[in-house]
Amino acid sequence: NVLAIEHIDLCQSIFRAEPNEAIAGLNLSMQDGFLRVEGALAWVGCKISQIHDAGDHEIVIGFVE
């Protein structure tokens, strides 16, 4: 999901949330098997190829579908 400047509060709330709480309360929809944030400027669906541990987060490599 590509968010606009108008979504700054949403971005900050996701950043501060615990992992399991990050999407709670988001206005989401499912399209073509992918979760979309309603109102996003754009979105890209990917097929996950690799996941790499990077300390306190993970780096996900995917192929755009």
Side-chain angles (χ1 to χ4, degrees):
N1 290 279
V2 179
L3 302 178
I5 191 66
E6 293 83 21
H7 295 110
I8 190 76
D9 292 336
L10 171 63
C11 293
Q12 290 174 340
S13 68
I14 292 170
F15 176 74
R16 292 185 185 117
E18 293 296 320
N20 292 335
E21 299 171 357
I23 63 170
L26 291 181
N27 190 8
L28 302 172
S29 66
M30 184 71 80
Q31 185 169 346
D32 299 325
F34 299 102
L35 278 177
R36 293 183 63 179
V37 174
E38 290 297 323
L41 295 175
W43 63 277
V44 179
C46 294
K47 179 178 180 183
I48 295 174
S49 172
Q50 301 171 24
I51 300 176
H52 301 278
D53 184 33
D56 63 348
H57 62 281
E58 295 175 328
I59 298 170
V60 179
I61 308 297
F63 294 99
V64 175
E65 296 199 330

